[in-house]
Amino acid sequence: MDFGMPFLIETCSQKECISLCSCLGLQFIEWNMNFPQCQPENFQVEMLREAGERENIYYTLHLEENINFSDFNQRVRRAYLDTALESIELAEKIGAPLINMHLARGIYHENMRKFRKECERAIGDADIKIAVENTDGFAPYEQEIIEELLKSPCFGLTLDIGHSHAAKNVDIPFYEKNRGRLIHMHAHDAAGAKCHLAFGDGEIDLRQRLLMAKGAGARVVLETKTVEALGKTRRYIEENFQDLC
C-alpha cells in the first residue's frame, strides 16, 4: 500500500515538498491546485520527472475544490472543463496516475455525462483515472450521478475518512456498494467535525479504514495540514501499522 503526502503550504515550493516526501520515506505527493504553487503553468515538468526518478516517488493531482462542471453559465462551465482537460494533459506529462476531484452541489446529469465523455476522450489509452471524493455526505441524486461517472473505467472513488467521520459515515454504505471502484483514500484523524488531525489525535478507527484501502488496492494520502502533523502521522504508522505497510 502506497502512502503519500499532500502539498503543504509550509514547504513553499515543489522542490521543498519533494525533499520532505523523500525524507519521510513516502511514495507520492498529491499536488493540490488550490495553491498558487500548484497551478498548471507553475509545474516544471522535467524537474518533476527527474526528481521522481531520483527519489523513487510519483505524483497525483487534486483539482481545485470549487470547480463546477455543471455551472449554468456555459462559458464558465467551459472554463472548468478546459481546466480539467489541461490537468489530464499535465497528469500524462508527469506520469500522475490519478486526478482527485470534489463534486459541486447542484449538478445535473446531462452536464456530468458530457464531462465524462470529454474526460474519456482526453484520457484515451493513458493510465489515468479521475476519482470523486466525498465531502459532507452525498445526496441521493449525487450518488446517481457518481454511478453515471463510474460507468466509465476512467473514473473511480476517493474516500476521505475524516470527511466521512464528520458526516457520521453516511457515505460508507455507498462505498461498500462500490468497493471495487475505491482507488484512492485521504486519511487523517478527526474528532467530531474537526478534521485533518494527525493520526492518534482523534476518534477514527484508523486500522479499519486502512484495511479498507489495502483490500481495495487504494493508495493513501496522509492528508494533514502541517509538516508537524504529517511527521507525527508517519511515526504513528510505523509504530502501529507495520503489518499494513
Side-chain angles (χ1 to χ4, degrees):
M1 184 163 59
D2 285 357
F3 288 102
M5 61 171 285
F7 176 80
L8 297 172
I9 195 65
E10 289 176 80
T11 56
C12 297
S13 70
Q14 293 174 9
K15 285 185 178 179
E16 286 188 35
C17 195
I18 290 168
S19 178
L20 178 61
C21 180
S22 178
C23 181
L24 292 174
L26 299 172
Q27 284 75 55
F28 69 97
I29 298 169
E30 183 151 288
W31 302 117
N32 191 325
M33 293 178 172
N34 288 286
F35 293 100
Q37 296 94 329
C38 300
Q39 299 307 303
E41 63 271 17
N42 293 330
F43 280 90
Q44 302 174 53
V45 173
E46 289 305 318
M47 181 277 289
L48 292 176
R49 284 176 172 171
E50 291 173 4
E53 292 179 4
R54 183 179 67 251
E55 306 296 342
N56 195 28
I57 62 173
Y58 64 96
Y59 315 107
T60 61
L61 300 177
H62 191 314
L63 290 179
E64 196 271 325
E65 291 178 1
N66 296 315
I67 207 162
N68 183 358
F69 300 113
S70 285
D71 196 282
F72 288 126
N73 187 304
Q74 292 185 16
R75 286 174 293 181
V76 172
R77 186 167 71 248
R78 185 68 249 173
Y80 283 139
L81 285 168
D82 287 344
T83 299
L85 299 180
E86 185 179 27
S87 299
I88 291 169
E89 184 179 354
L90 173 63
E92 190 164 11
K93 287 179 179 177
I94 64 174
L98 182 135
I99 300 171
N100 188 74
M101 63 170 278
H102 288 194
L103 203 63
R105 290 294 190 188
I107 53 179
Y108 292 88
H109 286 261
E110 184 56 32
N111 286 336
M112 294 306 289
R113 279 193 285 267
K114 291 178 181 177
F115 165 67
R116 183 189 70 196
K117 290 177 182 178
E118 292 219 32
C119 290
E120 286 175 327
R121 282 196 293 269
I123 291 173
D125 296 329
D127 186 18
I128 298 170
K129 295 192 185 301
I130 300 173
V132 181
E133 177 188 349
N134 59 306
T135 51
D136 53 0
F138 294 130
Y141 77 92
E142 292 176 312
Q143 293 185 15
E144 292 176 5
I145 289 170
I146 294 169
E147 288 180 336
E148 284 283 332
L149 295 177
L150 293 179
K151 289 179 180 178
S152 167
C154 296
F155 285 83
L157 294 172
T158 295
L159 173 61
D160 186 300
I161 67 173
H163 294 167
S164 182
H165 180 81
K168 303 187 185 305
N169 293 316
V170 295
D171 290 325
I172 293 301
F174 180 76
Y175 280 87
E176 291 289 351
K177 176 184 175 183
N178 294 283
R179 64 174 60 198
R181 306 307 296 276
L182 176 62
I183 57 176
H184 202 57
M185 180 175 282
H186 285 177
H188 45 100
D189 217 334
K194 187 177 182 181
C195 294
H196 303 289
L197 303 178
F199 275 22
D201 287 352
E203 308 161 341
I204 296 178
D205 185 339
L206 298 167
R207 174 171 288 277
Q208 181 186 54
R209 291 293 178 248
L210 291 179
L211 281 170
M212 187 177 180
K214 189 176 180 69
R219 63 179 59 82
V220 178
V221 181
L222 305 176
E223 202 189 29
T224 64
K225 297 300 184 183
T226 68
V227 173
E228 180 183 6
L230 178 62
K232 182 175 181 179
T233 296
R234 187 71 180 95
R235 291 190 297 273
Y236 191 94
I237 290 172
E238 291 176 351
E239 293 168 4
N240 294 277
F241 302 132
Q242 277 293 333
D243 58 318
L244 299 181
C245 297

